[in-house]
Structures are given as C-alpha cells and as structure tokens.
Amino acid sequence: MSAKAKIIVLRKILVGEWDLLAYAYGTFGRGRILVRKGFYPKNAYSAVFEPFNLLTLDYHQSGELLILNDVIDVEFYSYLALKDYRRFLWMSKVAHIIASWISYYDSNVFDLLQNYLRMDIKNYKVFEIKLKLELVRALGIYREDLFEGEMAKVVNEIDRECRVERLEKIFLSKPAFMEISEALEKMLKRSLD
C-alpha cells in the first residue's frame, strides 16, 4: 500500500552501487527513504534528493524503511546553500538540530524547519538559540524557570524578538551561548525519552 508525504531531505548517502538512502523529516516523522538507482547517471533522483530540498513523494513502507515509488513535486532549497559556505554551514546546522532532536511529525516543527532553512543570517549563535527556543515551545516542553538573572534576560530578549534585523544585533558571548544551548538541548533530550 502506498502513501504520500511531504518531506525535507536532511542528508543522503550512497548505498551499494547505485542506490540512494535519504534521511528526511516529514509527515511520517523522521525516517529513511530508499531510492533504488538514485545515483544512477540516467536517473534524475540524485539532484532531487539533495539535502534541504522540499519534496512531495509517493512511497511504500518495508519495515522501518520507506521505499520511493515516485516524486510528485520538488521545491529546490539546496541552491540556497550554494550562495556561500557560511550559508551552507547554517543550513547544515538547522538540518542537524532537527535530525538530532525531533522524531515525530509536528506541523509547527516542519514549518520552522522550512523557515530556518530559507534564512540568510549572520548571527548564527543567536539564531541557533532562537530555533531551539521555538522547538521547545512548539513541543510544549519549555520551562520558564530554567534560566535566572542575566541569562534569563538574554533568553527572553531572543525569545520575544521576531524581527531578523534586531536578532542580528544581539550579542551573545560564547560561554552564554554554550550554557543556554546545553540547557535547551537537555529539554529536547527529555522529549525523546
């Protein structure tokens, strides 16, 4: 029995001689999609399954593995990573955060993933914290009492601000970034248990 899904490719690898295995997040949650002959030169699937692309596909399931039947639609976000190396690193970081901390489908998380992949930003530390804050809020696991004093002020400023221009101007020291990031990741880890 086949099903349809909207997904974002997080990464892809070669399996065997020509097959492609794509790690993706979409309406089935986080999963692996086998694309038979996906790396075959005459097959167009290799470019379609580039990381960061948004796809609508038809698939069937075999155990925990999803097998591609057909690609229905593609929105190419991968070209954004070609703009410069820093943009590629940012998009890779966003994909890594989703792959690491999110297992099940949530439409809010899917929308966040799309929005953050399309962002062209420079203040990576602040936007990484903003993404993690939005994830814990979307999952309903944010605790207001987690941060105190100056750290609480910084977190609240990042959390409340929605304008990219203003977020770009927020200074976040490396120790503060590490402390906030680790606390948010502990919250995200609890959501996986």
Side-chain angles (χ1 to χ4, degrees), residues 31-151:
R32 296 173 301 158
I33 305 161
L34 179 66
V35 182
R36 296 190 194 283
K37 294 192 176 183
F39 277 105
Y40 192 69
K42 294 182 181 178
N43 189 337
Y45 286 137
S46 183
V48 169
F49 280 89
E50 280 298 312
F52 321 127
N53 286 343
L54 172 67
L55 290 84
T56 304
L57 49 89
D58 181 65
Y59 70 93
H60 66 277
Q61 193 161 351
S62 178
E64 291 186 16
L65 191 63
L66 308 173
I67 313 294
L68 177 71
N69 294 332
D70 195 16
V71 174
I72 299 165
D73 189 37
V74 181
E75 286 185 51
F76 292 96
Y77 292 165
S78 57
Y79 80 92
L80 296 171
L82 298 174
K83 182 178 176 189
D84 61 38
Y85 185 63
R86 293 180 63 145
R87 182 86 183 257
F88 168 76
L89 289 177
W90 169 248
M91 294 174 79
S92 297
K93 183 65 165 179
V94 171
H96 176 75
I97 289 169
I98 297 299
S100 298
W101 303 114
I102 307 299
S103 295
Y104 300 101
Y105 177 72
D106 182 298
S107 61
N108 293 327
V109 171
F110 191 81
D111 292 341
L112 280 175
L113 175 57
Q114 278 187 274
N115 292 337
Y116 277 83
L117 285 174
R118 291 186 291 218
M119 285 182 171
D120 187 9
I121 50 106
K122 292 172 184 59
N123 195 346
Y124 297 109
K125 290 187 283 190
V126 168
F127 281 89
E128 183 176 334
I129 296 300
K130 180 74 171 173
L131 172 59
K132 289 176 181 176
L133 281 167
E134 290 192 52
L135 284 175
V136 294
R137 286 204 182 280
L139 297 172
I141 57 174
Y142 183 69
R143 288 187 18 231
E144 298 286 340
D145 63 340
L146 189 64
F147 302 102
E148 298 174 347
E150 279 301 311
M151 211 57 73

